[in-house]
Each structure stands twice: as C-alpha cells, then as structure tokens.
Amino acid sequence: MTLAEGLARRQGDALGTMPVVLAEMPVSTVPLVALSLTGVPALRALVAGEAAAAPPGPVVADGDPSPLPGLGPLVDELAAAGHGAVLVMGKGGVGKTTIAAAIAVGLARRGHDVHLSTTDPAGRVSDVLADEHDGHLTISRIDPVRELERYTAERLQSAQRLNPDRRVLVEEDLRSPCTEELAVFRAFSGLLSEARDRFVVVDTAPSGHTLRLLDLTGSYHRQVMSSADEVHGRITTPLMRLQDPEYTHVVIVTLPELTPVSEAAALQDDLARAGITPFGWVVNAGLTASGTADPLLRARAELERPQLERMREDLAQRAWLVPWQAEGLVGEQQLAALSGVR
C-alpha cells in the first residue's frame, strides 16, 4: 500500500466511525493542499479553491535522505544508561502513546526490564500493543478515578485514629477538587521511584495537564526542602529526579508542522523554568524521506523542511524522525521494527 492510499484509507475509516451525533450535523469538506496554511493570502486561496494543486517549484527529490536519524539510535542511547525514567511529553494528538510504546518495546527487546505507563486519560497503551508484549515489559495506567478512590480510602483509614472533629475536617478536605490531582501526583511519584532498578517509560498527559502535575511536584519539593533540617539522611524529591539528566530523560514529541513545533518549543520553555532539560525531540509522522511518489505528498514533505531545520538548529539538543506510516502501528512487532529491532 502506498502512503497516499494509506492516508486516504485512514481518513475514510475516521469518517466512517464518526459518532452519530456528529455525522448528522452539516459537513463541509476541505481538501488536503500542498501549501502552508499560514497567513491571510493562503487562507484566502483555500477558501477560493485555488490551493488544491501542488505549487510549482522544488519538491522532495527521489531518495532524498532524512535530515534526522530514526527512532533506533534514540533507544540505543537510552538503553546505554541501564535504567531510568523516560517521560514522553507533547500536545495531544502528536502520537505520544505510540512513541512511548515503541521506546518501551525497543528497550525490552534489548534485554532491559521496562514498565510502561500513562498519565493521559485518553492514552491506551494496551491498544497500541494489542495485548502482546515482551516478557521484559509490564504495562499499567494511572487511572485518576481509581487513584482518587485509593488515596481517599487511605486518608480515611488514617483518620480513624483522630477525634470526630478532626475526622470531619479530613473528610471535607478530601472533597476538594485538588484531591484527584494529589492522588495522581502520588502515583506519578511512585512511578519515578521505580526507575532506580529498571526503565520506566511514561506516556504523559497533554502538556497542560503535565505542567500542572509538574507544578505539584515543585510545590511538594519546596515543602520538603523547607523542613529539611528536620529530616535526617539524603533527601530526593520527585522534582530532583526529574531535574537529574542521569535519572530522567524527557522526550518531546511533535509533528513537522509550524503550530506543533511552536507548541513543543513553548513546552520546552516551561520545562526549563522548572529546571528540566529535555533529552531530545521526536518528530512523528514525517513525510520527509518517506519515499512517497505522490506529487501532493511530496510537495507537503517539502513544507516540513523549514520546521525540521528550525528544530534542529534552534530548538532541540538532539532529534529523531519517525516517518509517516501507511499502516497503523499496532502490535509489538511493528513497534519493535520502528525502534530498530526485530
């Protein structure tokens, strides 16, 4: 199957499985075009129907090599550490779950014990793995509802020793909207601590939720450090683990388009303010060097070049490129191939 056929089939599948409540609404179709839809002239051309044809000028040449290495070298670099946390971050819809699963499978296929988890309410790593995974790999999901139930039960159990007035205060505190965030934070911190003995790969929630989680991490760090004189021995908070490049590797996932790259750059700036430096960026679903012969897709591949150069020269310390796939990446074998092993 060619890339163009794969793209068309995916679009058809998405339209065919659209919820009834959406399918019954009026629909307008906008074609895939071979120019960047940035700026008023480009938008006017789209509305006027003048943007469908591939623009004249250079397009990606046959056999044009990728400007970036694939995912295999990234997994090799991570594997060299022997253990640690790998946090896969980015906006929703950029393919974090697939990239996190591919990294986890790649590490497991290289003989390491790996735990793959997600804090993303929409992330289902079991769907990507199709319930098949290496014996070195375990998977889980931080379910906010379940974590809240567990956290609440433990707090109430501890409160049984208190007098009735204090128990009422604890119960009131547990009804706070922040309680769920604290429960998820506790589960996330537990995942980080597991990375002392093995690899822990975390498919994080979309960046807004992730940054709120990091904010809680920072608040907890400040609380602990403010009472450090009362604590004997070495103190290691979750924030300290996240800031340690030997312990935690943050991988930012983006798409080779203007808006996703700009959003990824903003995420990187937010991480820098927390003292966290990303290990590198993964550019997902790139048409560049895909080998497609379709004129429209080749023209769109050329549109990726400025963003790849911007990222490589100005934004990312290191970067890797995952090509657009004609077939969906589901199952351990496909993910292993993507990460450079068979």
Side-chain angles (χ1 to χ4, degrees), residues 80-97:
H83 70 93
V86 181
L87 270 57
V88 182
M89 296 186 176
K91 286 286 187 179
V94 297
K96 295 189 304 296
T97 300

Side-chain angles (χ1 to χ4, degrees), residues 53-59:
V59 296

